[in-house]
Amino acid sequence: MWCMTTPFKPSSLSDWETAAAKSAPGGDVAALNWHTPDGITIKPLYTADDVKDLPHTNTLPGFEPFIRGPQATMYAVRPWTIRQYAGFSTAEESNAFYRKALAAGGQGVSVAFDLATHRGYDSDHPRVTGDVGKAGVAIDSVEDMKILFNQIPLDKVSVSMTMNGAVLPVLAGYVVAAEEQGVAQADLSGTIQNDILKEFMVRNTYIYPPEPSIRIIGDIIEYTAKHMPKFNSISISGYHMQEAGANQALELAFTLADGKEYVKTAIGKGLDVDGFAGRLSFFWAIGMNFYLEIAKMRAARLLWCRIMKGFDAKSPKSLMLRTHCQTSGWSLTEQDPYNNIVRTTIEGMAAVFGGTQSLHTNSFDEAIALPTEFSSRIARNTQLIIQEETHISAVVDPWAGSYMMEKLTQDMADAAWKIIEEVEAMGGMTKAVDSGWAKLKIEAAAAEKQARIDSGKDVIVGVNKYKLKTEDAIETRDIDNVAVRDGQIARLKEIKLKRDAAEVIRVLAAIKNAAETNTGNLLNFSIQAVRARATVGEISDALEAVYGRHRADTQKVTGVYAAAYDSAEGWEQLKKEIAEFGETEGRRPRVMISKLGQDGHDRGAKVVATAFADLGFDVDMGPLFQTPEECARQAIENDVHAVGVSTLAAGHKTLVPAIIAELKKQGADDIIVFVGGVIPRPDYEMLYEAGVKGIYGPGTPIVASAKDVLEEIRKALAGLQK
């Protein structure tokens, strides 16, 4: 029998440092530290000394400050809810998808609306010709809502709706569709996003200015607290912040600061904090920084408990943060797309280890097009495998007591709290958003991240390292935008013929009066209007007549991309070529970066504009939501050499040919057009035939695209000289 002949002698930290120095670069152990974009340093080794002063390491799940989870038993008793965020063209198609997903193991419905609906336009509006049915389902009235939830029992199935701008008519449509299904408001469960502050920072599917938008949020919290006790009145979202470029600390800080602002709003309406705070929920993005994402979710619960105690909340439900998570869409790559299955699996596990209450896993083809049924099944099964096969859910918080994770949780909380204090010093999140400061912080982080990828400092497998020589084609989903729009317009005409026109005029006037006089509850009035068959566009127009429609500033950050890109290959040479162009032509190459239609996702546009400007281009930013006619007119007035169209919402097949035709119509076909964003490979040929000079999908290094654009401008000028 073997036995130890000498007593065990634990090694000291200095012993480890001596051993580690032998293999560390230059013998410097500090060189092994990872300095994250969040300003947090992660060491290769943690010990008991790192956590000895932390107050939260001995807490239990289900108890303050809820670091280890909001419920005592977490997944050991009830696993997280598996959701599938989807909406495809028509209510009929989306309904069929939801029913299949529920039958195959989905446990809730999560609705993606098209951009026309988000922005409060009916499908027959001239500004949305390229957006109807793209990137989500088109909803114009309660008749569409009834089809969307046909044969889905709304008293039994939880429904999550990502909606902010047109939140009043959409939530009202859901309530009335349920009523006509025989389901009382009190029996409805689910979540409406209703988080407008983040829209002004990143996603841009707002309609009204910040102040009246906050009033709408307060009315929804008030109404649901009284009439819909099972329904979450707001999902305070960091997801779109990270998708727009925020690091984890920024996402955490700004999201909690938004939540703090919404609590103030509800209290300002006379609501008791414990009467509504238990129905607030949060929504996080889960990216590829595995440790940071887990720490972020644990730190979020710690900080939210602290914030709610500041409002004198007493109920444990008011103090605990509950959350939905979605794996990152931005981390998905067009190149070697099957790698995305692995990325999504890792992100899904981070969400689970962080203690999410529900989860959506993205499909591997979403950097290319809307997901197919095949890719959606893989995404859903990813969760089922984690839930059913791994036994991960048997342990409440497997990271508790980890020296590294406990210290990282505190570091993340400290980094976020510092930002929250900056926001408070400005007067709160509404003022921080209104000033443009918050948006620029996120855009700077996005530019820095893109520069690290383009320069190879951050590795993306299949994009800037381990690249395939040839890419295999994959099946993609295509939406016939024209057919969807025609169908929606026909249904709108039918509704308007059958309804009581005088009653519609009356209920819309009541909404307008409530907005003008700041009286009554706008959700209550919207429900009455929807019952009368008023449309999404009509209700939105009634409010717009009072509040106006918000227009975003087009300012951009400068110098950030160049600083992070440093001296990587090709940068200085291209800057020299651009300077030489300016000397030869008498002015620098001038480009206009544009977003057409209702696609407000402007991360790519802002990063490209920043990088091109840092290289030496003159760069104009077109305002969001331009029509092709407006874009062409601005390009001509600004005398640009090229227009770059950024697209993420699948409107390129309609809108890009339209801008080329409009430039030609206005006698400016010498202005070249290039396109970047989420564009399926099968669409490339069509765009080139339409006259596009360059197409740059996700993962294209900006320096490579800038060099290409410069060469195309030279060719165009040479053609003019001939």
Side-chain angles (χ1 to χ4, degrees):
M1 181 176 178
W2 181 89
C3 66
M4 186 178 289
T5 56
T6 57
F8 171 71
K9 180 184 177 183
S11 57
S12 67
L13 182 59
S14 61
D15 290 338
W16 175 84
E17 288 173 342
T18 301
K22 293 176 181 177
S23 56
D28 181 10
V29 177
L32 301 175
N33 291 343
W34 172 33
H35 303 287
T36 74
D38 311 71
I40 296 169
T41 297
I42 297 182
K43 304 183 297 181
L45 178 71
Y46 288 79
T47 69
D49 284 345
D50 290 295
V51 299
K52 64 182 180 181
D53 296 324
L54 299 184
H56 58 71
T57 51
N58 294 319
T59 60
L60 293 171
F63 294 89
E64 294 179 29
F66 306 103
I67 287 179
R68 299 187 63 185
Q71 285 92 36
T73 53
M74 290 297 288
Y75 312 139
V77 170
R78 182 184 176 187
W80 66 94
T81 301
I82 297 173
R83 293 193 182 277
Q84 201 76 17
Y85 177 58
F88 302 113
S89 65
T90 64
E92 290 89 346
E93 276 200 50
S94 299
N95 173 261
F97 177 88
Y98 298 150
R99 286 161 58 192
K100 280 185 183 178
L102 289 168
Q107 296 157 350
V109 170
S110 190
V111 184
F113 297 94
D114 75 354
L115 291 167
T117 306
H118 273 289
R119 295 270 293 146
Y121 293 114
D122 286 336
S123 297
D124 57 0
H125 197 285
R127 297 196 73 88
V128 298
T129 53
D131 298 298
V132 177
K134 293 288 194 179
V137 59
I139 298 292
D140 292 319
S141 74
V142 69
E143 296 302 328
D144 292 328
M145 274 290 190
K146 287 167 66 177
I147 295 166
L148 188 68
F149 297 119
N150 182 38
Q151 297 183 52
I152 296 173
L154 294 178
D155 55 343
K156 295 180 175 65
V157 175
S158 169
V159 174
S160 172
M161 292 178 286
T162 300
M163 178 53 62
N164 301 285
V167 63
L168 287 170
V170 166
L171 182 54
Y174 164 71
V175 167
V176 175
E179 285 177 356
E180 297 186 10
Q181 197 185 85
V183 178
Q185 293 181 25
D187 294 328
L188 294 172
S189 65
T191 305
I192 187 80
Q193 193 162 99
N194 191 28
D195 174 11
I196 202 64
L197 283 176
K198 72 100 170 49
E199 296 294 329
F200 295 112
M201 281 187 275
V202 289
R203 193 162 171 258
N204 300 309
T205 57
Y206 45 70
I207 302 176
Y208 319 109
E211 190 173 336
S213 296
I214 292 291
R215 184 241 164 128
I216 290 168
I217 287 171
D219 281 8
I220 290 171
I221 293 173
E222 178 184 52
Y223 186 93
T224 53
K226 291 178 181 176
H227 303 287
M228 301 166 68
K230 297 180 182 178
F231 196 82
N232 296 326
S233 56
I234 190 166
S235 174
I236 305 152
S237 174
Y239 182 87
H240 304 97
M241 296 181 200
Q242 187 178 139
E243 289 291 281
N247 56 46
Q248 280 75 18
L250 268 180
E251 178 195 5
L252 176 56
F254 284 171
T255 306
L256 295 183
D258 282 351
K260 193 173 182 180
E261 198 85 344
Y262 299 144
V263 172
K264 289 180 190 173
T265 300
I267 291 172
K269 291 189 72 68
L271 297 179
D272 175 70
V273 66
D274 287 320
F276 69 86
R279 301 312 307 172
L280 304 179
S281 69
F282 287 78
F283 175 26
W284 305 115
I286 305 296
M288 286 297 288
N289 280 334
F290 186 76
Y291 297 138
L292 291 180
E293 294 295 3
I294 298 168
K296 177 187 77 182
M297 295 175 69
R298 299 174 95 244
R301 292 191 288 270
L302 172 69
L303 294 182
W304 187 243
C305 184
R306 183 190 300 176
I307 288 168
M308 293 309 293
K309 278 182 171 292
F311 287 110
D312 202 27
K314 301 290 193 300
S315 168
K317 289 185 177 180
S318 301
L319 300 173
M320 66 175 66
L321 181 149
R322 291 159 300 277
T323 191
H324 169 70
C325 291
Q326 181 173 337
T327 60
S328 174
W330 186 83
S331 71
L332 305 180
T333 65
E334 179 190 35
Q335 298 88 341
D336 208 356
Y338 291 109
N339 289 342
N340 295 332
I341 298 173
V342 182
R343 293 185 178 102
T344 295
T345 303
I346 292 167
E347 291 167 352
M349 289 180 68
V352 170
F353 282 137
T356 191
Q357 278 61 71
S358 69
L359 177 62
H360 164 85
T361 34
N362 284 330
S363 301
F364 72 84
D365 51 357
E366 290 188 57
I368 303 165
L370 285 170
T372 62
E373 202 166 305
F374 167 71
S375 67
S376 295
R377 189 181 79 242
I378 292 174
R380 185 170 59 251
N381 286 348
T382 298
Q383 289 198 58
L384 289 169
I385 290 166
I386 295 172
Q387 205 168 84
E388 301 284 355
E389 296 187 25
T390 65
H391 301 287
I392 284 173
S393 59
V395 178
V396 173
D397 179 16
W399 287 92
S402 158
Y403 299 145
M404 182 275 296
M405 188 54 69
E406 297 292 9
K407 180 64 165 63
L408 186 54
T409 297
Q410 187 64 52
D411 288 346
M412 181 64 69
D414 291 344
W417 193 253
K418 185 178 178 182
I419 299 168
I420 291 170
E421 288 180 326
E422 279 189 78
V423 170
E424 284 301 299
M426 293 181 190
M429 202 62 191
T430 300
K431 290 185 178 177
V433 168
D434 216 13
S435 71
W437 174 83
K439 186 176 180 67
L440 287 175
K441 291 280 282 186
I442 293 172
E443 288 175 5
E448 184 182 350
K449 176 65 175 177
Q450 189 61 50
R452 290 200 307 270
I453 292 170
D454 287 351
S455 63
K457 292 175 185 174
D458 287 2
V459 172
I460 309 294
V461 173
V463 175
N464 61 5
K465 198 172 183 180
Y466 313 112
K467 293 186 283 189
L468 294 177
K469 290 183 179 178
T470 58
E471 296 277 353
D472 295 332
I474 66 168
E475 178 191 354
T476 57
R477 180 187 289 268
D478 187 39
I479 302 295
D480 186 343
N481 160 243
V482 175
V484 175
R485 187 166 185 262
D486 288 347
Q488 290 297 121
I489 290 172
R491 189 176 291 154
L492 275 167
K493 288 178 179 177
E494 184 180 356
I495 290 166
K496 289 178 180 180
L497 281 172
K498 291 181 177 179
R499 69 188 185 180
D500 183 337
E503 176 62 7
V504 172
I505 291 170
R506 186 192 70 77
V507 292
L508 291 175
I511 290 174
K512 188 176 176 183
N513 180 66
E516 285 175 334
T517 60
N518 198 27
T519 57
N521 185 287
L522 289 172
L523 179 55
N524 182 44
F525 286 115
S526 297
I527 290 170
Q528 294 174 36
V530 167
R531 287 180 184 136
R533 269 38 187 184
T535 67
V536 168
E538 288 170 335
I539 293 171
S540 300
D541 286 348
L543 291 165
E544 186 181 342
V546 180
Y547 295 146
R549 189 171 277 265
H550 181 71
R551 289 179 66 86
D553 195 345
T554 56
Q555 61 185 315
K556 60 182 182 294
V557 296
T558 57
V560 176
Y561 185 96
Y565 198 90
D566 201 13
S567 58
E569 185 180 356
W571 178 262
E572 291 301 329
Q573 177 59 34
L574 184 54
K575 282 187 72 176
K576 183 180 176 183
E577 290 180 31
I578 291 167
E580 288 171 351
F581 177 99
E583 291 172 6
T584 303
E585 299 295 331
R587 64 176 181 134
R588 295 189 293 178
R590 191 178 191 98
V591 299
M592 183 172 120
I593 307 299
S594 304
K595 296 288 297 183
L596 300 179
Q598 300 305 305
D599 175 15
H601 296 81
D602 61 352
R603 173 180 183 159
K606 289 294 185 71
V607 168
V608 168
T610 293
F612 272 49
D614 287 353
L615 278 164
F617 284 85
D618 276 333
V619 179
D620 300 320
M621 281 296 301
L624 290 171
F625 315 122
Q626 282 189 312
T627 65
E629 295 80 7
E630 291 165 345
C631 179
R633 187 162 57 249
Q634 184 181 353
I636 293 166
E637 289 171 356
N638 291 10
D639 194 20
V640 303
H641 294 104
V643 172
V645 178
S646 172
T647 175
L648 282 106
H652 56 274
K653 291 174 76 172
T654 302
L655 297 169
V656 173
I659 177 66
I660 294 171
E662 195 60 35
L663 286 168
K664 188 173 183 179
K665 178 181 172 184
Q666 296 188 36
D669 50 352
D670 57 313
I671 296 176
I672 68 167
V673 174
F674 60 98
V675 187
V678 178
I679 304 166
R681 288 273 172 182
D683 293 350
Y684 279 31
E685 186 177 352
M686 180 275 292
L687 291 173
Y688 282 129
E689 287 178 356
V692 169
K693 296 299 181 184
I695 303 172
Y696 311 106
T700 304
I702 290 180
V703 172
S705 64
K707 187 173 180 61
D708 195 28
V709 168
L710 180 64
E711 186 57 35
E712 289 297 332
I713 290 172
R714 283 174 173 152
K715 287 180 185 177
L717 289 174
L720 282 175
Q721 289 165 3
K722 288 180 182 178

